[in-house]
Amino acid sequence: MPTVVHLHGGRTPAASDGYPTDLVLPRGWAAPATPHGSGHGSGHGSGHGSGHGMHDPRAVVTEVTRDYTFPLDQRPTLLWYHDHRMDFTAPAIWRGLAGLHLVRDDAEEALGLPAGPRELPLMIADRAFAADGALAYPALDPALRERPGVREPYLAGALGDVILVNGAPWPVHEVDAAPLPLRVLNASNARHYELEAVGDDGRRLDLVQVGADQGLLAAPVTHRLLPIAPAERYDLIVDFSGVPVGGRVRLLNRLGSGRTRDVMAFRVARKAADGSRVPATLSTDLPDWRRSDAVRVRDFAFRTGHLHSGRGWLIGGLPFDPARTDVTARLGDVEVWRLIADVHHPVHLHLVGFRVLSRSGRPPLPHDAGLKDTVSLRPGEAVEIITRFDGYRGRYLFHCHNAEHEDMGMMANLEIT
């Protein structure tokens, strides 16, 4: 298949950011002879075999190989990389084109946080399987060549009935009776989770958050229930020192039912010495942008809509068009964006991190702390974020990270000049 690599959360030059039409083609790949409609009527596509014929004059297409440059001039954090192919991102992620990418630095390691061999990255994803064990995805075109989109019942997003953690269904992980650092990513296409750690005795363990999408918080935030939308990441400390050897702690999804309620389990295998700590101050380098610093305020509505021949997902009433510039921002400018949702939309900005200022006129929620690159909009909610466009000039994106919404038009262009 054609592919595009996007390092999600990376401060990356535009040429290496993974724009959806900057395809790497298999050898001898031929575009469909006749452009096809999308089925959902968005009429977008690069004309390079990605879908249905809308040409992108700025696309940089290579065959077989491409060099990407990731400077990683940014705060230490958990990033992830995934396919970003025009119109076919969702089935590519579903079939496994995604992975974790950890950025570290000396200052973080000097804090004394639980770390080292106990550190456990967790990529949580729901999937569906056919009777023969193959991954089942409701694509309109199972060959993923011509017609993007999913069958009608899945327009809101593809959900699976098996929860995978690092590729394994409902795993059990042996741990020491000590604090455990968890680096958690929701790599699901559309499923939201509300995580909770519960012992066999019914006692809930604290989920101590020390980091967000873009690195360390200023100070720890303790949760009992932690919502996590597609593409969001959290760095957590869970202390198993009070769990007896042989005891079990289940990581549950309070938004799930039946098979999707269980995520994984931890079994305490042994006692262990531990000299780690969670300091009251984690970082002092978070940006202090204020609303008064903003040179402009922009509004964006994320809503479903009727397109040329069907239903899709729109930003500001428009489906994605790679040839159209939706937003132009100057390098160095601070802006406030107001994001308005009809249903659940996890909104991701490329290149920059941001702070959440408010939710429907009220203060941010505890899990909004720190610097983020993806924010979960709940149904009917208006979320204000503030950011500074720095790093690099060029063409970037912002979009919904419900992968089916993204493939069905819910992306927009951001030009940094």
Side-chain angles (χ1 to χ4, degrees):
M1 294 290 105
T3 190
V4 176
V5 180
H6 172 54
L7 180 60
H8 181 119
R11 284 169 52 91
T12 303
S16 294
D17 188 57
Y19 193 81
T21 55
D22 289 347
L23 299 170
V24 181
L25 303 179
R27 192 178 307 281
W29 177 269
T34 304
H36 288 258
S38 69
H40 50 77
S42 69
H44 53 86
S46 72
H48 291 287
S50 67
H52 36 275
M54 180 179 288
H55 182 63
D56 177 10
R58 297 171 66 181
V60 179
V61 178
T62 60
E63 190 176 72
V64 182
T65 65
R66 181 185 180 97
D67 290 334
Y68 289 86
T69 300
F70 300 137
L72 300 180
D73 176 21
Q74 59 191 102
R75 307 176 81 234
T77 191
L78 171 64
L79 309 178
W80 65 303
Y81 59 93
H82 59 77
D83 183 80
H84 217 313
R85 176 189 170 198
M86 182 80 182
D87 298 330
F88 293 98
T89 293
I93 293 176
W94 186 273
R95 295 182 183 198
L97 290 187
L100 301 175
H101 185 113
L102 284 153
V103 182
R104 307 186 188 277
D105 75 0
D106 293 341
E108 180 188 38
E109 294 181 1
L111 287 173
L113 288 165
R118 290 190 185 125
E119 181 183 85
L120 184 62
L122 300 179
M123 177 187 280
I124 302 173
D126 63 328
R127 296 291 184 261
F129 295 88
D132 65 355
L135 284 160
Y137 184 79
L140 291 174
D141 173 11
L144 308 182
R145 284 188 65 94
E146 301 185 22
R147 190 181 184 193
V150 289
R151 299 194 300 270
E152 184 75 27
Y154 301 92
L155 293 179
L159 301 177
D161 60 352
V162 176
I163 305 299
L164 304 179
V165 182
N166 299 348
W170 302 292
V172 178
H173 182 70
E174 284 195 353
V175 299
D176 295 340
L180 178 73
L182 302 178
R183 317 290 299 261
V184 184
L185 160 69
N186 179 357
S188 302
N189 281 31
R191 184 177 294 280
H192 292 246
Y193 300 79
E194 194 171 62
L195 300 177
E196 179 183 40
V198 182
D200 283 336
D201 58 0
R203 183 174 66 90
R204 295 197 295 186
L205 275 65
D206 287 343
L207 304 174
V208 179
Q209 182 188 352
V210 296
D213 301 333
Q214 289 285 308
L216 289 166
L217 307 184
V221 178
T222 298
H223 309 273
R224 286 295 178 88
L225 292 172
L226 180 61
I228 181 168
E232 284 190 303
R233 287 95 65 210
Y234 292 109
D235 290 336
L236 306 173
I237 307 296
V238 180
D239 189 354
F240 291 92
S241 59
V243 180
V245 172
R248 183 185 64 159
V249 174
R250 292 185 300 156
L251 189 64
L252 301 177
N253 171 28
R254 289 300 183 189
L255 299 181
S257 60
R259 292 153 60 95
T260 63
R261 189 174 180 84
D262 287 310
V263 176
M264 66 174 295
F266 303 92
R267 188 169 296 282
V268 176
R270 65 196 73 81
K271 292 192 175 295
D274 180 78
S276 67
R277 67 191 186 99
V278 179
T281 299
L282 296 167
S283 68
T284 57
D285 65 340
L286 285 167
D288 58 354
W289 308 309
R290 297 177 299 276
R291 195 183 294 269
S292 59
D293 297 329
V295 298
R296 64 188 57 85
V297 177
R298 304 184 195 262
D299 287 359
F300 298 100
F302 291 74
R303 303 189 190 284
T304 188
H306 289 282
L307 307 180
H308 304 300
S309 61
R311 181 182 157 206
W313 297 93
L314 314 177
I315 300 177
L318 297 172
F320 181 62
D321 180 347
R324 183 186 68 234
T325 299
D326 298 289
V327 174
T328 300
R330 291 182 303 178
L331 189 71
D333 276 1
V334 175
E335 296 191 1
V336 170
W337 287 15
R338 187 178 299 112
L339 314 172
I340 304 161
D342 55 354
V343 297
H344 265 128
H345 295 297
V347 176
H348 170 50
L349 268 65
H350 286 218
L351 180 66
V352 294
F354 55 78
R355 287 199 353 257
V356 179
L357 289 178
S358 70
R359 286 184 177 269
S360 296
R362 293 183 290 276
L365 295 170
H367 64 271
D368 292 324
L371 197 62
K372 297 181 59 60
D373 57 50
T374 306
V375 62
S376 178
L377 310 186
R378 299 175 299 185
E381 193 169 45
V383 174
E384 285 185 310
I385 62 172
I386 187 169
T387 189
R388 181 174 183 263
F389 294 104
D390 59 3
Y392 305 95
R393 292 179 170 88
R395 181 170 65 158
Y396 293 90
L397 293 170
F398 61 100
H399 59 89
C400 178
H401 222 292
N402 176 315
E404 282 71 37
H405 293 186
E406 175 183 341
D407 281 351
M408 295 163 60
M410 196 167 255
M411 295 194 295
N413 284 307
L414 168 62
E415 191 82 33
I416 309 296
T417 61

